[in-house]
């Protein structure tokens, strides 16, 4: 078995010498440096499995050295030591690819355990590299887009994928939040473990705790046998909490405790159970507003929002519309069908309240209604305003609320006011739809 090679960079000579001696006694091959400038030639000469950097170094600091390391040796796991920085500095290190951090003065045994975890993580990543390539090519997992900001977001997603910190994905309905959650899972070392999605808005409030944590026989009327919850089903993998803003306050307390300890109790049970999951949450709401108005716990919000990904709406990346259309035509096995110039122009001028999901539905409609090899503007049946142009009211650009109100109203009419079908088409929960109907005073 290959001896793991380590590098320690710290300007405290006595502590570094002691650490190097101890690590070598444990079978590692360990080098050391007192500054980033001294470490960089070593990084260019040798391959390291794990490196350990003090955040505060003379000259170039540990954060910059971390960034340089990831450019030179992307696969190397980085541990950060901080006795001077704040939690924010440590989180910045994690965002830039650090595996973990320890506060000084650290316990040597704890550091050795963290090094071993980093080595195990690296081994899993090495085994998973070939599988990542295959997964990225699967049709049900393609994230399509060439827009510069969108690509930068995708690169950030990949950079933080192998990190166990919670991630909050924010974006409007239909932007592809679940795709990004899957990316975080399948591009990580947890890829071979379960990806379990929980839609807080689709499960009745009284059943949500049982669905999430499970229950034991006799816990309530109808609980005739023990049931494993989705948290337990996700053990080893990723738990995706979709429509986070729909979660009842009572359950938010239990979720917070689970996030802090990894422990939970089934409904009706007294025993604590422990699992290892990476939690990713998604919402289409303004969570700061939800917190301010008392509908969401502030402590839970900050616990989940360690790293956030903000998915841009489709109207902010019209240059991606032609790329997405080609993808949808290929997926429909209709690559010979083209989109007409007027239809493309109309789509790029449209505000897309339903985002990518709505574009997909429009292309499906165009395929059905077109009478030749070209989808024309009339085939799309775009929602129109009073002057016949999409996205306008009385010749002026419509507000998002105006667009949302009309879009929801037309969807309800199209579904004959079947709220289950309308909510599904809109990509929101039935509870959320009822709130929108009340907010906009919509009626049959």
């Amino acid at each position: 078995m290959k001896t793991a090679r380590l590098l320690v960079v710290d300007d405290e000579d006595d502590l570094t010498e002691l650490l190097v001696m101890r690590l070598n006694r444990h079978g590692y091959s360990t080098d050391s440096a007192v500054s980033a400038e001294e470490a960089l030639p070593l990084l260019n000469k040798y391959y390291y499995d794990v490196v350990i950097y003090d955040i505060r170094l003379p000259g170039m600091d540990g954060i910059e050295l971390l960034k340089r390391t990831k450019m030179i040796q992307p696969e190397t796991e980085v541990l950060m030591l901080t006795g001077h920085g704040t939690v924010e500095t440590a989180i910045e290190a994690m965002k830039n690819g650090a595996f973990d951090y320890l506060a000084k003065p650290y316990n040597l045994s704890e550091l050795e355990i963290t090094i071993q975890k980093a080595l195990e993580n690296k081994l899993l990543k090495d085994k998973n590299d070939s599988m990542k390539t295959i997964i990225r090519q699967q049709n049900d997992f393609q994230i399509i887009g060439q827009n510069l900001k969108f690509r930068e977001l995708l690169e950030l997603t990949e950079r933080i994928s192998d990190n166990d910190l919670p991630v909050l994905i924010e974006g409007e309905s239909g932007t592809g939040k679940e795709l990004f959650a899957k990316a975080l899972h399948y591009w990580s070392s947890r890829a071979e473990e379960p990806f379990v999605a929980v839609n807080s808005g689709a499960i009745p409030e009284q059943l949500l705790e049982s669905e999430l944590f499970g229950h034991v026989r006799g816990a309530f009327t109808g609980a005739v046998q023990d049931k494993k919850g989705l948290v337990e089903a996700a053990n080893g993998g990723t738990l995706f909490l979709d429509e986070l803003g729909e979660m009842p306050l009572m359950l938010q307390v239990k979720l917070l405790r689970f996030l802090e300890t990894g422990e939970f109790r089934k409904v009706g049970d007294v025993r604590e159970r422990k699992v290892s999951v990476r939690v990713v949450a998604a919402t289409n709401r303004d969570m700061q507003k939800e917190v301010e108005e008392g509908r969401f716990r502030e402590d839970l919000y900050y616990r989940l929002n360690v790293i956030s990904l903000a998915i841009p709406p489709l109207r902010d990346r019209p240059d991606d519309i032609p790329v997405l259309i080609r993808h949808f035509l290929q997926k429909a096995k209709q690559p010979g069908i083209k989109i007409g110039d007027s239809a493309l122009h109309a789509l790029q001028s449209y505000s897309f309240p339903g985002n990518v999901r709505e574009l997909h539905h429009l292309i499906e409609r165009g395929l059905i209604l077109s009478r030749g090899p070209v989808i024309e503007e009339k085939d799309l049946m775009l929602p129109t305003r009073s002057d016949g142009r999409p996205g306008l009211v009385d010749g002026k650009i419509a507000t998002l609320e105006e667009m949302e109100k009309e879009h929801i109203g037309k969807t309800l009419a199209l579904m004959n006011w079947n709220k289950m079908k309308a909510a599904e088409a809109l990509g929101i929960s039935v509870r959320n739809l009822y709130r929108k109907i009340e907010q906009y005073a919509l009626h049959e």
Side-chain angles (χ1 to χ4, degrees):
M1 186 176 176
K2 180 176 83 75
T3 300
R5 186 158 197 156
L6 313 181
L7 172 64
V8 180
V9 184
D10 195 326
D11 61 344
E12 296 184 46
D13 290 339
D14 293 342
L15 183 61
T16 302
E17 185 177 349
L18 175 66
L19 179 57
V20 168
M21 289 174 58
R22 178 156 172 160
L23 292 173
N24 286 340
R25 280 202 305 270
H26 281 74
Y28 300 116
S29 173
T30 314
D31 298 326
S32 65
V34 296
S35 68
E37 289 75 12
E38 188 177 316
L40 286 170
L42 294 172
L43 288 163
N44 284 307
K45 185 175 181 181
Y46 303 110
Y47 178 80
Y48 292 99
D49 296 288
V50 177
V51 294
I52 303 151
Y53 298 155
D54 192 358
I55 284 181
R56 169 114 12 133
L57 292 169
M60 183 190 301
D61 66 18
I63 297 289
E64 185 58 32
L65 180 57
L66 161 64
K67 293 176 183 176
R68 297 280 189 95
T69 300
K70 286 298 179 180
M71 291 170 62
I72 299 167
Q73 301 185 21
E75 300 84 6
T76 299
E77 297 290 5
V78 183
L79 305 179
M80 305 299 294
L81 306 175
T82 174
H84 314 280
T86 62
V87 173
E88 287 76 18
T89 308
I91 288 173
E92 182 188 355
M94 305 289 268
K95 287 182 178 179
N96 282 285
F99 174 75
D100 206 347
Y101 67 91
L102 284 86
K104 284 185 171 183
Y106 53 84
N107 180 290
L108 285 173
S109 297
E110 183 184 2
L111 177 59
E112 287 167 1
I113 291 170
T114 307
I115 289 170
Q116 188 57 43
K117 285 181 179 177
L119 287 168
E120 291 169 359
N121 190 62
K122 184 177 182 301
L123 179 63
L124 284 170
K125 280 201 294 188
D126 290 345
K127 287 180 179 178
N128 201 42
D129 277 347
S130 58
M131 191 172 73
K132 280 185 183 179
T133 304
I134 296 168
I135 289 169
R136 289 183 196 181
Q137 295 171 349
Q138 293 177 348
N139 286 335
D140 63 345
F141 181 61
Q142 285 186 306
I143 302 179
I144 308 296
Q146 296 178 349
N147 175 270
L148 179 59
K149 288 187 177 179
F150 192 76
R151 299 307 302 176
E152 288 174 352
L153 181 67
L154 205 54
E155 288 169 14
L156 173 62
T157 302
E158 184 163 10
R159 201 157 69 237
I160 64 174
S161 62
D162 237 348
N163 195 303
D164 276 349
L165 286 172
V167 176
L168 180 63
I169 304 175
E170 299 175 285
E172 297 175 9
S173 292
T175 49
K177 296 186 289 296
E178 185 166 351
L179 283 178
F180 276 85
K182 286 181 176 178
L184 288 167
H185 175 74
Y186 289 117
W187 294 350
S188 77
S189 55
R190 294 180 179 267
E192 292 181 307
E193 303 299 330
F195 174 88
V196 176
V198 185
N199 189 322
S200 302
I203 301 170
E205 188 172 323
Q206 63 272 24
L207 297 179
L208 191 53
E209 182 181 0
S210 172
E211 286 293 316
L212 199 57
F213 297 118
H215 62 250
V216 295
R217 181 181 177 182
F220 49 83
T221 303
V224 294
Q225 59 186 15
D226 286 8
K227 177 184 176 179
K228 180 189 287 188
L230 296 173
V231 163
E232 195 171 357
N235 191 19
T238 300
L239 181 69
F240 175 49
L241 301 173
D242 200 6
E243 299 209 31
L244 180 68
E246 300 280 347
M247 185 167 288
L249 279 165
M250 173 273 297
L251 196 55
Q252 291 175 29
V253 180
K254 296 185 178 181
L255 178 61
L256 177 63
R257 183 178 178 278
F258 168 68
L259 287 169
E260 290 174 339
T261 66
E263 297 176 346
F264 68 96
R265 288 180 188 169
K266 289 186 173 186
V267 177
D269 202 357
V270 295
R271 292 170 296 172
E272 295 281 355
R273 300 168 190 262
K274 193 174 182 70
V275 293
S276 169
V277 297
R278 201 262 180 93
V279 176
V280 178
T283 181
N284 58 13
R285 295 194 189 184
D286 180 344
M287 294 306 293
Q288 287 277 16
K289 185 178 178 182
E290 295 295 304
V291 169
E292 289 167 7
E293 296 183 359
R295 290 188 293 269
F296 201 85
R297 292 181 62 95
E298 184 176 26
D299 47 5
L300 177 57
Y301 171 65
Y302 287 114
R303 187 70 181 80
L304 286 166
N305 193 27
V306 176
I307 302 176
S308 63
L309 298 175
I311 316 297
L314 186 55
R315 62 181 168 276
D316 287 352
R317 50 188 188 105
D319 48 330
D320 277 342
I321 289 175
V323 185
L324 287 161
I325 291 171
R326 283 197 298 272
H327 169 69
F328 294 142
L329 291 173
Q330 288 170 354
K331 193 174 180 181
K333 296 184 170 54
Q334 299 284 351
I337 302 291
K338 305 295 182 187
I339 189 85
D341 291 341
S342 64
L344 180 58
H345 177 72
L347 288 170
Q348 289 184 308
S349 303
Y350 181 52
S351 62
F352 281 102
N355 290 291
V356 178
R357 184 187 292 118
E358 185 180 8
L359 175 62
H360 190 189
H361 291 161
L362 287 170
I363 296 304
E364 288 179 328
R365 181 190 298 166
L367 284 170
I368 293 169
L369 297 179
S370 64
R371 296 185 177 182
V374 178
I375 297 175
E376 303 292 355
E377 183 178 355
K378 60 181 172 53
D379 301 324
L380 299 171
M381 296 179 64
L382 278 170
T384 54
R385 299 294 173 176
S386 56
D387 64 351
R389 295 172 59 195
L392 303 175
V393 169
D394 298 326
K396 297 178 181 179
I397 295 174
T399 66
L400 289 180
E401 282 200 349
E402 288 171 335
M403 291 295 296
E404 184 176 66
K405 178 180 178 180
E406 178 163 331
H407 188 67
I408 291 173
K410 288 190 174 183
T411 302
L412 283 163
L414 188 65
M415 301 296 176
N416 295 316
W417 277 78
N418 182 317
K419 296 177 185 65
M420 287 288 290
K421 289 183 178 179
E424 184 180 353
L426 290 164
I428 60 177
S429 70
V430 176
R431 287 209 301 269
N432 198 359
L433 177 58
Y434 272 104
R435 274 195 291 270
K436 297 292 183 183
I437 290 170
E438 184 178 352
Q439 177 185 346
Y440 296 130
L442 297 171
H443 50 82
E444 291 187 60

